[in-house]
C-alpha cells in the first residue's frame, strides 16, 4: 500500500474547490476514511466520475480538486488522463504551489448483471493511465480508490489484510469521522450527482407534450414582439408574471423527498405561464433583472422557481434551459450552495455551451471567488434604474409610488435610490473577454458562424 499511514486533513467546511483550509481540521489516515470523506469534500455523491484531489505539504492537506465523467470509450482514457493531470497540477501551481501528491477516485455503479469488483477491474487501466500521467508531472498518486456498489477497492494496495479482493464495505451514511465533523460544521451533502441532475432534467410523457405546445404558442406570440418595438413591454410582463409565480412558490413550502417536492412545484406553474417566462428570459435584459432576485427571504423559493422552469424546457426547446439554469446556479452560489451551483451551471453549459453568463459564473464559482462582488454590481444596477425611473416619472409629471418588480428592488426588496447617476455601460453583469483571449465566439476571439434565425431568434447569447 502506498502512504496509507499518511494523514490528509481537509477543511471541514470548504467554501470552494480552491478555498484555503479552515482552522479546524479532520485527519484521514486510511483508505476507508478517504472513501467515506469523498461526498463531504465535494458536497455530493459523485456518480460515474473521475475525481482528483491535490495534496499539499508534509501533512498532505487537501487543495484543488476536479471531477469529470468517466468516458464511455476506453480509447479516450489516455488523452483524458493527460488532460486531467495537467489541469489539476497547473491550476494548483497557479494558486500557490504545485501539489505534493494526488488522491484519485473512480466512482461508477455496476451495469445490469455486473458486480462492483468487475467494475473495479474494468476501470483498472484508467486508474493506471491516470497514475502514469500524474507521475510524468512528478506528482505521485498517494492513493487510488474505486467506489462501486457500496464498496471500495484500492489500486495502490495488494495487501488482503486491509484491502481484500472483494472490496471493503463503505460505512453507513452519517457514521464516519468525517460525517461527525461535517454535522458539527453544518455541512450538508446534496445527494448523488445523478439525483441533483435529475432535478434539472426536462419533463417527459404527456406533460412534456403539453409544455411543447405551450412553448410553440408562446414563441409565435412573443418572439415578434421581442424583436420589435414591444421588447421592453415583454420584459416587464415576463418579470411581473415571474414574480406572481414566485409568490405562489413562497406560499407553498416544499415537503417530502426531493422528487416529491419537485413534482409539487411543477404543479404550481401552468404550461402557459412557464412558456411565457422561459421565452421572456431569453432576452438578456429581462434575465439580468431576474438575476437581481438573489437575496432575502424569497431566496429558497426563487431557486425552486428557476429549477421548475428549467424542467419545462422540453425538446426542441432544451437550449432555452440555459437561462433558467444559469439563474438557478447563480441563486445557489449566492446562497452558499457552491456544489449545487457548479452542477447547475454545468447543466446550463450542456444546454448551450456558448451561453456567456453561465461560462462566467461557472468559472468564478470554480475559482472560489466571492459572489458578493456580483451581488453588489446587481444592487447598483437596480438602484440606478430606480433613479432613472423616478426621474422619468417626474419629467412626465406623474408620481411613482415605488419600484415595480423587475425594474426596482424585485420581490420583497425595494430599491434604494442613489444620488449619483452612472453612465450606462451595456452588459455590466457579463463583461466582455479581453482582446486576444479565447472567448465564447471561438479560439482567439474568432467569430462563430451566425445561426439561422427561427424559433430562437430572440435569444441573446450574452
Amino acid at each position: 500500500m502506498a502512504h496509507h499511514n499518511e494523514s490528509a486533513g481537509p477543511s471541514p467546511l470548504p467554501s470552494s474547490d480552491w478555498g484555503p483550509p479552515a482552522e479546524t481540521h479532520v485527519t484521514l489516515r486510511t483508505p476507508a476514511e478517504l472513501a467515506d470523506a469523498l461526498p463531504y469534500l465535494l458536497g455530493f455523491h459523485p456518480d460515474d466520475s473521475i475525481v482528483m484531489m491535490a495534496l499539499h505539504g508534509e501533512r498532505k492537506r487537501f487543495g484543488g480538486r476536479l471531477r469529470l465523467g468517466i468516458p464511455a470509450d476506453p480509447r479516450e482514457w489516455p488523452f483524458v488522463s493527460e488532460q486531467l493531470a495537467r489541469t489539476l497540477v497547473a491550476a494548483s501551481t497557479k494558486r500557490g504551489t504545485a501539489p505534493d501528491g494526488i488522491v484519485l477516485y473512480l466512482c461508477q455503479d455496476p451495469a445490469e448483471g455486473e458486480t462492483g469488483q468487475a467494475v473495479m477491474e474494468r476501470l483498472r487501466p484508467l486508474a493506471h493511465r491516470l497514475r502514469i500521467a500524474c507521475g510524468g508531472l512528478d506528482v505521485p498518486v498517494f492513493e487510488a480508490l474505486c467506489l462501486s456498489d457500496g464498496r471500495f477497492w484500492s489500486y495502490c494496495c495488494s495487501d488482503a489484510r486491509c484491502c481484500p479482493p472483494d472490496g471493503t464495505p463503505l460505512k453507513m451514511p452519517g457514521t464516519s469521522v468525517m460525517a461527525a465533523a461535517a454535522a458539527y460544521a453544518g455541512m450538508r451533502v446534496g445527494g448523488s450527482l445523478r439525483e441533483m441532475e435529475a432535478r434539472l432534467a426536462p419533463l417527459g410523457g404527456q406533460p412534456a407534450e403539453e409544455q411543447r405546445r405551450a412553448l410553440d404558442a408562446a414563441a409565435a406570440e412573443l418572439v415578434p414582439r421581442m424583436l420589435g418595438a414591444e421588447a421592453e413591454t415583454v420584459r416587464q410582463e415576463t418579470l411581473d408574471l415571474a414574480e406572481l409565480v414566485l409568490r405562489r412558490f413562497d406560499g407553498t413550502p416544499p415537503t417530502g423527498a426531493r422528487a416529491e417536492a419537485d413534482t409539487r412545484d411543477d404543479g404550481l406553474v401552468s404550461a402557459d405561464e412557464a412558456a411565457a417566462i422561459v421565452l421572456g428570459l431569453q432576452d438578456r435584459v429581462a434575465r439580468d433583472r431576474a438575476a437581481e432576485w438573489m437575496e432575502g427571504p424569497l431566496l429558497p423559493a426563487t431557486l425552486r422557481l428557476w429549477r421548475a422552469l428549467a424542467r419545462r424546457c422540453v425538446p426542441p426547446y432544451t437550449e432555452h434551459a440555459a437561462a433558467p439554469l444559469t439563474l438557478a446556479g447563480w441563486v445557489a452560489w449566492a446562497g452558499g450552495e457552491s456544489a449545487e451551483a457548479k452542477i447547475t451551471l454545468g447543466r446550463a453549459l450542456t444546454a448551450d455551451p456558448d451561453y456567456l453568463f453561465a461560462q462566467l459564473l461557472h468559472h468564478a464559482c470554480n475559482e472560489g471567488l466571492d459572489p458578493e462582488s456580483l451581488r453588489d454590481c446587481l444592487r447598483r444596477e437596480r438602484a440606478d434604474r430606480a433613479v432613472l425611473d423616478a426621474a422619468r416619472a417626474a419629467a412626465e409629471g406623474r408620481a411613482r409610488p415605488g419600484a415595480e418588480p423587475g425594474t426596482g428592488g424585485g420581490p420583497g426588496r425595494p430599491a434604494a435610490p442613489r444620488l449619483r447617476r452612472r453612465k450606462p455601460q451595456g452588459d455590466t453583469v457579463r463583461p466582455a473577454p479581453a482582446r486576444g483571449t479565447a472567448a465564447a465566439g471561438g479560439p482567439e476571439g474568432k467569430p462563430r458562424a451566425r445561426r439561422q434565425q427561427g424559433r430562437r431568434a430572440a435569444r441573446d447569447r450574452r
Side-chain angles (χ1 to χ4, degrees):
M1 183 185 300
H3 295 272
H4 279 192
N5 290 324
E6 295 284 357
S7 64
S11 165
L13 186 57
S15 60
S16 72
D17 279 358
W18 302 98
E23 294 182 0
T24 303
H25 310 290
V26 177
T27 300
L28 307 175
R29 293 187 174 87
T30 67
E33 291 176 345
L34 286 170
D36 291 325
L38 179 59
Y40 300 98
L41 295 169
L42 294 179
F44 58 91
H45 295 271
D47 299 304
D48 194 32
S49 297
I50 303 169
V51 180
M52 299 175 68
M53 299 193 180
L55 302 177
H56 297 271
E58 294 181 358
R59 299 185 62 187
K60 309 297 185 293
R61 298 168 65 87
F62 280 114
R65 62 210 69 175
L66 57 79
R67 188 206 65 83
L68 182 73
I70 297 176
D73 188 350
R75 291 175 295 183
E76 299 179 12
W77 292 356
F79 173 77
V80 168
S81 299
E82 295 288 342
Q83 290 293 316
L84 290 177
R86 283 200 294 267
T87 299
L88 182 58
V89 172
S92 298
T93 303
K94 179 181 177 181
R95 288 158 184 80
T97 59
D100 296 298
I102 288 173
V103 173
L104 167 66
Y105 299 86
L106 299 180
C107 309
Q108 190 172 75
D109 289 332
E112 186 176 355
E114 190 178 27
T115 65
Q117 187 171 4
V119 172
M120 183 272 294
E121 292 296 346
R122 176 166 52 80
L123 297 179
R124 186 183 291 275
L126 175 58
H128 182 65
R129 288 283 186 180
L130 287 162
R131 294 175 69 185
I132 290 176
C134 294
L137 299 174
D138 295 326
V139 182
V141 174
F142 289 152
E143 183 58 274
L145 300 174
C146 176
L147 280 63
S148 182
D149 199 23
R151 308 178 78 86
F152 74 87
W153 290 261
S154 171
Y155 290 115
C156 297
C157 177
S158 58
D159 189 344
R161 293 173 297 178
C162 60
C163 297
D166 57 349
T168 303
L170 293 169
K171 291 185 178 180
M172 292 293 294
T175 62
S176 67
V177 173
M178 190 68 182
Y184 178 78
M187 291 175 60
R188 295 189 305 108
V189 176
S192 72
L193 175 62
R194 187 177 295 112
E195 291 170 344
M196 297 176 74
E197 290 183 333
R199 306 188 73 183
L200 309 171
L203 299 176
Q206 182 58 34
E209 178 59 25
E210 179 186 358
Q211 187 61 62
R212 183 194 64 77
R213 291 195 296 267
L215 285 164
D216 285 342
E221 176 193 355
L222 294 177
V223 169
R225 296 176 63 199
M226 295 168 70
L227 295 177
E230 296 185 74
E232 183 58 35
T233 301
V234 174
R235 288 169 189 152
Q236 192 58 52
E237 292 173 354
T238 299
L239 294 167
D240 288 345
L241 179 58
E243 183 180 0
L244 175 67
V245 177
L246 175 59
R247 299 290 183 181
R248 196 182 304 155
F249 273 64
D250 185 56
T252 312
T255 58
R258 291 188 180 94
E260 180 183 345
D262 289 344
T263 300
R264 190 181 185 192
D265 285 349
D266 289 335
L268 296 177
V269 54
S270 70
D272 290 338
E273 289 173 330
I277 299 172
V278 166
L279 265 296
L281 290 176
Q282 306 311 305
D283 178 84
R284 179 183 61 82
V285 176
R287 182 211 64 203
D288 288 353
R289 292 179 186 174
E292 296 171 2
W293 304 355
M294 61 197 171
E295 52 194 350
L298 295 183
L299 189 66
T302 305
L303 179 56
R304 290 164 50 208
L305 171 61
W306 300 143
R307 282 201 212 107
L309 292 175
R311 293 193 291 270
R312 298 305 186 98
C313 297
V314 300
Y317 292 89
T318 51
E319 190 176 275
H320 288 63
L325 284 171
T326 301
L327 290 171
W330 160 234
V331 170
W333 184 35
E337 299 290 343
S338 60
E340 180 176 356
K342 292 168 191 172
I343 293 171
T344 306
L345 292 169
R347 292 284 296 186
L349 292 173
T350 299
D352 185 351
D354 299 326
Y355 204 69
L356 183 57
F357 193 24
Q359 290 176 346
L360 295 174
L361 288 176
H362 193 254
H363 177 74
C365 191
N366 280 309
E367 290 288 311
L369 302 182
D370 189 346
E372 180 59 28
S373 58
L374 179 53
R375 276 196 295 256
D376 186 60
C377 176
L378 291 172
R379 291 187 195 108
R380 290 198 303 268
E381 288 294 310
R382 187 169 61 205
D384 286 349
R385 192 167 60 253
V387 169
L388 292 175
D389 288 345
R392 187 180 301 112
E396 293 173 356
R398 57 183 177 85
R400 187 171 183 178
E404 296 181 3
T407 59
R413 290 176 294 278
R418 300 172 68 215
L419 298 178
R420 179 176 59 89
R421 288 181 54 183
R422 295 166 58 243
K423 181 179 179 181
Q425 297 179 353
D427 189 357
T428 58
V429 177
R430 293 170 283 101
R435 184 183 300 274
T437 61
E444 300 299 329
K446 296 180 181 178
R448 297 191 311 276
R450 295 178 62 87
R451 295 193 182 201
Q452 214 173 8
Q453 286 194 351
R455 171 181 294 148
R456 301 187 182 90
R459 292 182 58 83
D460 190 329
R461 294 293 172 201
R462 299 172 294 168

